[in-house]
Amino acid sequence: MADLNNFTIDGLKCLAREGTSIIDAARQNDQFIPTLCNLEGVPPKGACRVCTVRVNGKLMTACTAKISQGMEIENQTEELNEMRKSIVEMLFVEGNHFCPSCEKSGECELQALAYRFEMTVPRYPYFYPKRNIDASHPRIVKDHNRCILCKRCVRAIKDEKGRSIFAFLDRGFETRIYLDPDLAGQLTEERARKAVEVCPVGAIMPRGEGFKTPIGRRKYDRHPIGSDM
Amino acid sequence: MAQKITISPLTRVEGHGKVTIHLNDEGEVIQSKLHIVEFRGFERFIQGRPYWEAPVLVQRLCGICPVSHHLAAAKAMDVVVGAGTGDGLTPTAEKVRRLMHYGQILQSHALHFFHLASPDLLFGMDADPAVRNVIALAKSSEYKELAVQGIMMRKFGQEIIKATAGKKIHGTGAIPGGVNKSLSVDERDFFLKGEDPLNADAMIEWAESAIALFLDYHKKNSELLDNFSRFPSNHLSLVGDDGALDLYHGRLRAVDSEGSKILHDIDGQEYLNYIGEEVRSWSYMKFPFLTELGKEKGWYRVGPLARLNTCEFIPTPRAQQAFEAYKVYTGGKPNDMCMHTHWARLIETLFAAESIKNLLEDPDILKDDLATKGARQSEGVGLLEAPRGTLFHHYRVNEQDQITMANLIVSTTHNNQPMNEAVAYVARKEMSGQKTITEPMMNAVEVAIRAYDPCLSCATHALGRMPLEVALYDSHGCLIERKTR
Ligand code: SF4
């Protein structure tokens, strides 16, 4: 097993195959590194920066950096968690996230991380951007108010030729998620369901249903994010 | 020259009740107005949202009776998803929703009677507000048990809400076309056979003893309870198809002060054909009226008093018994005695407790046939009897599932004119010939408004005084005095 590397996370001895991303390697060793954009089995993007760790003293995103022999990774430190909390808070103020009426509540990764980081009072001013809802597709509703531009949908939802059905439109603060008009028809029932599933927030929702899972049985009601590791 | 007395600073309190009184040259009250600053932003910001969000979003209007808004919006959306009204839902969905609603009636009525009204009654309306509250009740050896009962009844109702809606406040249980959960056997048994006193039987007993307490008080104070702020009016509420008291579903009926039907059990979906809303320049809140009778004569009361005036019977035995005694008092005619609202409310509390027990004993509440759908509609109206009165939710939804229009008529709005009448009554009685605003006058206004229990945060202050501002004007429109607390 020559390609197995030894490394540590917060001083704990770990083992993973060379070339594995830090975030996957951590998962394999039962260590939780928070993320909003990374998705197992989908090429990483390094978009959200929530998975930032210190590797041999340097800050790196755990989804894009790869494991190597002897790495010393700091993960659950006060400094890093404070930084991650700030990122989550900035994502909240940058969009319009009204958890009380959002059907993703209880299953939303952004909300779950906010709870984990004990985000209680707002520290940054709200932007209250004016964004719309796009319900023109018969299978999904896109709520741009909630999109955190993680690009999971773009990376994970493809047609049989491997083309992304979702794309980004415009730039900077105007960036929003967009259904390629030529490929929108390829968003089958199954792909639509998957798009809803991969979206970490409530920006992609199924048409005609909501709040199906009762409070108490939602994903994070019983098992707060990261509690399984 | 008129003297201007201002008591400042005026602290703006959310939901502050503001009363203005105008005197003529002889110092008689010629006009009084109750101003309610109510911001109805929800009708605007729900626009564009997907229709299935409405039951969860709009309930945020209120922290005291959110279940009413939750259910009224869900009922409107039942129509939109083609599930229809009434028995359109599965028996499980219909019964779980009813259970949720009666849980809320129980907790809200208990709050209203035990926390708000009973201190007024037991310590006297003129008692110092510092001691006229539920804490003082709990501290006194005489009424301690009563205060505990009030608190436990609220708790029981709230636990029912939690079991059906997922949370005690602002749950998600009702969805368009049904519910997202039914009850487990454990949950059912907790309420039915729960440890004393937290079970359905205890609630029934306590509700009955609260009625007895009221009747005893009434015996000693009938002059006050029968005459304070009494005036004739029309009455409106939902009634069951058979004329039964039904707080969850029914047809709209109104009777006049003599008990004759003036709105004949219409389908709520058509409310716009029968009910208009008048805008008056001095108030943010509209004044609804029965269009056939016009603005002057068409106003009506809603709430417990109105409901017991429109219904023919109560479909649970103990509440029916109490109802019969209640009806005897007015010789079968509509009851227009403002303070009897408390009596009516307690009879409804008993009805809610009995209904909860019946529903818990129904095996349908344990089944899993939760939701249904039919042909999609573009519009829906949801009506409900909220604790404080009839609640209307009306929505239009476009082909892309987005809400394009919302109209909500809440019970406080229906009761706008009656509350103004009540304030006018108090003003005439307490203020005519007075040059200053007296403390008994402030108290009387508070008690009159509280009988309607409108959705003002001031009316729901369990402790201390209702934030209230009263301003007195002379015949030239000059402010004589303004008093606030
Ligand atoms: S829609 Fe969802 S998955 Fe797509 S970029 Fe926005 S947040 Fe990420």
Side-chain angles (χ1 to χ4, degrees):
Chain A
M1 297 291 259
D3 61 348
L4 272 184
N5 288 167
N6 288 298
F7 62 100
T8 61
I9 298 181
D10 296 329
L12 205 91
K13 284 186 185 152
C14 299
L15 210 59
R17 263 177 220 286
E18 192 173 313
T20 312
S21 70
I22 294 178
I23 204 164
D24 285 346
R27 218 176 273 134
Q28 289 158 15
N29 286 272
D30 245 5
Q31 297 302 302
F32 175 67
I33 299 178
T35 175
L36 284 170
C37 70
N38 191 248
L39 204 59
E40 249 182 303
V42 174
K45 184 71 194 149
C48 73
R49 323 305 281 181
V50 172
C51 69
T52 302
V53 287
R54 252 185 210 287
V55 180
N56 301 335
K58 274 198 187 134
L59 293 174
M60 291 182 184
T61 45
C63 63
T64 50
K66 308 235 181 299
I67 276 299
S68 64
Q69 179 64 22
M71 253 185 184
E72 285 178 14
I73 301 165
E74 291 170 57
N75 175 32
Q76 295 299 338
T77 67
E78 208 184 311
E79 177 218 17
L80 286 169
N81 281 333
E82 188 51 41
M83 217 149 66
R84 293 164 178 165
K85 179 178 175 178
S86 291
I87 295 171
V88 169
E89 285 183 288
M90 285 190 272
L91 288 171
F92 265 96
V93 299
E94 184 259 352
N96 296 310
H97 298 274
F98 301 118
C99 303
S101 60
C102 179
E103 59 202 272
K104 194 85 172 197
S105 196
E107 312 210 310
C108 169
E109 293 175 43
L110 182 68
Q111 183 195 44
L113 284 183
Y115 278 125
R116 183 179 171 97
F117 295 134
E118 296 176 346
M119 189 186 106
T120 46
V121 286
R123 290 189 295 185
Y124 304 117
Y126 284 95
F127 284 28
Y128 296 119
K130 209 168 155 30
R131 295 190 187 154
N132 66 356
I133 291 186
D134 178 353
S136 54
H137 195 278
R139 294 207 165 89
I140 57 160
V141 174
K142 286 189 288 133
D143 188 342
H144 298 126
N145 293 289
R146 301 170 182 164
C147 177
I148 57 168
L149 302 176
C150 69
K151 261 193 171 170
R152 277 191 189 175
C153 54
V154 180
R155 288 176 288 142
I157 313 299
K158 310 222 165 164
D159 71 357
E160 51 281 347
K161 290 189 186 141
R163 293 173 298 184
S164 290
I165 297 174
F166 289 86
F168 272 7
L169 187 71
D170 284 338
R171 301 170 71 100
F173 198 65
E174 300 299 318
T175 314
R176 62 195 180 280
I177 210 74
Y178 169 74
L179 266 175
D180 186 324
D182 298 331
L183 299 179
Q186 305 285 331
L187 193 66
T188 56
E189 191 59 45
E190 196 193 328
R191 288 185 186 128
R193 214 173 319 118
K194 192 169 167 207
V196 170
E197 217 175 272
V198 300
C199 180
V201 291
I204 303 177
M205 302 308 295
R207 275 284 283 275
E209 62 173 59
F211 303 97
K212 267 198 145 170
T213 314
I215 295 169
R217 283 186 229 153
R218 301 170 307 184
K219 192 170 173 189
Y220 298 122
D221 283 339
R222 296 221 177 125
H223 306 289
I225 197 163
S227 66
D228 50 343
M229 287 188 221
Chain B
M1 246 204 52
Q3 205 189 353
K4 183 171 171 177
I5 309 164
T6 313
I7 298 173
S8 53
L10 294 178
T11 339
R12 235 347 240 114
V13 185
E14 191 210 359
H16 209 128
K18 187 180 161 201
V19 173
T20 54
I21 299 166
H22 296 262
L23 306 175
N24 66 11
D25 284 338
E26 280 72 50
E28 291 161 352
V29 175
I30 48 163
Q31 194 184 43
S32 69
K33 292 169 184 166
L34 169 67
H35 309 252
I36 296 173
V37 186
E38 193 202 33
F39 179 60
R40 299 172 78 187
F42 278 82
E43 291 170 334
R44 179 66 191 86
F45 58 70
I46 188 89
Q47 285 176 22
R49 301 305 311 172
Y51 69 79
W52 53 89
E53 261 182 30
V56 176
L57 198 157
V58 181
Q59 64 175 335
R60 297 267 164 182
L61 262 166
C62 182
I64 306 290
C65 65
V67 171
S68 308
H69 291 287
H70 182 55
L71 289 173
K75 287 182 78 178
M77 294 314 171
D78 292 345
V79 180
V80 168
V81 300
T85 60
D87 44 22
L89 297 191
T90 66
T92 299
E94 156 96 10
K95 286 169 190 172
V96 168
R97 282 196 194 174
R98 279 182 180 272
L99 186 59
M100 191 194 304
H101 189 45
Y102 285 114
Q104 117 130 330
I105 295 280
L106 188 80
Q107 73 88 14
S108 175
H109 277 10
L111 169 88
H112 191 254
F113 181 73
F114 292 94
H115 294 62
L116 297 174
S118 71
D120 282 349
L121 300 181
L122 299 171
F123 294 126
M125 290 182 204
D126 293 337
D128 180 355
V131 297
R132 189 160 41 90
N133 59 52
V134 71
I135 299 287
L137 214 60
K139 279 188 184 159
S140 79
S141 54
E142 203 182 344
Y143 303 124
K144 191 173 173 201
E145 208 183 318
L146 189 77
V148 170
Q149 285 177 7
I151 290 162
M152 297 302 260
M153 271 178 116
R154 276 209 80 198
K155 185 173 164 54
F156 186 81
Q158 281 172 324
E159 291 296 341
I160 294 252
I161 295 171
K162 189 178 170 198
T164 48
K167 271 200 315 177
K168 289 179 186 166
I169 303 172
H170 301 143
T172 63
I175 55 174
V179 291
N180 65 15
K181 82 183 282 279
S182 51
L183 255 64
S184 67
V185 173
D186 282 352
E187 284 169 325
R188 195 255 332 254
D189 289 350
F190 172 81
F191 296 116
L192 214 46
K193 306 175 198 158
E195 231 173 86
D196 215 30
L198 273 184
N199 60 50
D201 286 320
M203 297 305 124
I204 294 172
E205 233 168 81
W206 286 352
E208 263 187 337
S209 64
I211 295 176
L213 179 100
F214 179 88
L215 291 177
D216 184 50
Y217 180 81
H218 182 239
K219 231 183 247 162
K220 296 170 197 149
N221 301 277
S222 56
E223 164 67 20
L224 172 77
L225 290 186
D226 293 359
N227 297 318
F228 179 80
S229 185
R230 174 182 188 170
F231 52 85
S233 73
N234 303 315
H235 303 272
L236 175 134
S237 84
L238 294 176
V239 292
D241 286 342
D242 50 0
L245 177 70
D246 191 331
L247 307 184
Y248 175 73
H249 190 67
R251 302 175 78 81
L252 267 178
R253 175 184 291 184
V255 297
D256 65 14
S257 58
E258 287 301 309
S260 308
K261 270 194 211 174
I262 47 174
L263 188 64
H264 298 264
D265 301 6
I266 62 141
D267 179 355
Q269 301 303 311
E270 287 157 19
Y271 82 99
L272 276 179
N273 297 335
Y274 301 92
I275 288 166
E277 287 185 281
E278 185 197 357
V279 177
R280 295 186 198 166
S281 60
W282 52 270
S283 179
Y284 286 102
M285 201 155 69
K286 292 177 187 172
F287 289 79
F289 60 96
L290 298 169
T291 35
E292 201 181 282
L293 295 180
K295 292 173 193 169
E296 287 293 312
K297 292 196 175 134
W299 60 274
Y300 52 82
R301 276 193 252 217
V302 299
L305 196 70
R307 289 192 284 250
L308 295 202
N309 285 335
T310 52
C311 77
E312 290 154 38
F313 68 100
I314 299 183
T316 58
R318 296 195 194 194
Q320 169 65 14
Q321 215 176 6
F323 177 66
E324 283 164 17
Y326 171 88
K327 287 306 256 190
V328 164
Y329 196 75
T330 53
K333 291 269 180 220
N335 188 330
D336 61 7
M337 294 171 254
C338 172
M339 298 303 281
H340 285 212
T341 308
H342 296 307
W343 189 359
R345 185 175 289 116
L346 290 172
I347 296 174
E348 285 188 348
T349 309
L350 178 57
F351 168 57
E354 287 184 289
S355 301
I356 287 171
K357 191 175 178 203
N358 291 345
L359 287 161
L360 288 169
E361 283 172 340
D362 191 323
D364 280 344
I365 61 157
L366 305 174
K367 295 181 181 160
D368 336 303
D369 194 4
L370 301 181
T372 166
K373 260 184 191 176
R376 176 77 154 66
Q377 308 295 316
S378 59
E379 189 162 2
V381 176
L383 296 190
L384 186 90
E385 284 298 327
R388 293 149 193 81
T390 320
L391 174 63
F392 292 39
H393 275 219
H394 178 193
Y395 302 95
R396 288 200 189 103
V397 179
N398 69 15
E399 278 170 9
Q400 300 195 352
D401 294 342
Q402 291 168 289
I403 294 169
T404 55
M405 190 283 304
N407 187 32
L408 316 176
I409 311 181
V410 303
S411 28
T412 307
T413 308
H414 292 295
N415 274 334
N416 199 356
Q417 184 63 28
M419 285 193 296
N420 269 280
E421 295 285 333
V423 167
Y425 168 92
V426 171
R428 274 195 307 273
K429 193 156 182 292
E430 303 280 348
M431 285 309 300
S432 279
Q434 300 273 358
K435 283 274 175 281
T436 58
I437 300 161
T438 60
E439 194 57 27
M441 149 78 191
M442 298 284 275
N443 283 340
V445 168
E446 183 177 336
V447 171
I449 296 176
R450 195 168 272 169
Y452 293 89
D453 192 8
C455 300
L456 298 171
S457 59
C458 56
T460 55
H461 267 234
L463 297 177
R465 295 182 276 199
M466 178 187 290
L468 191 65
E469 181 186 312
V470 179
L472 191 62
Y473 293 88
D474 68 10
S475 57
H476 307 290
C478 292
L479 183 72
I480 304 174
E481 190 190 4
R482 175 180 292 156
K483 209 166 177 182
T484 185
R485 69 178 192 198

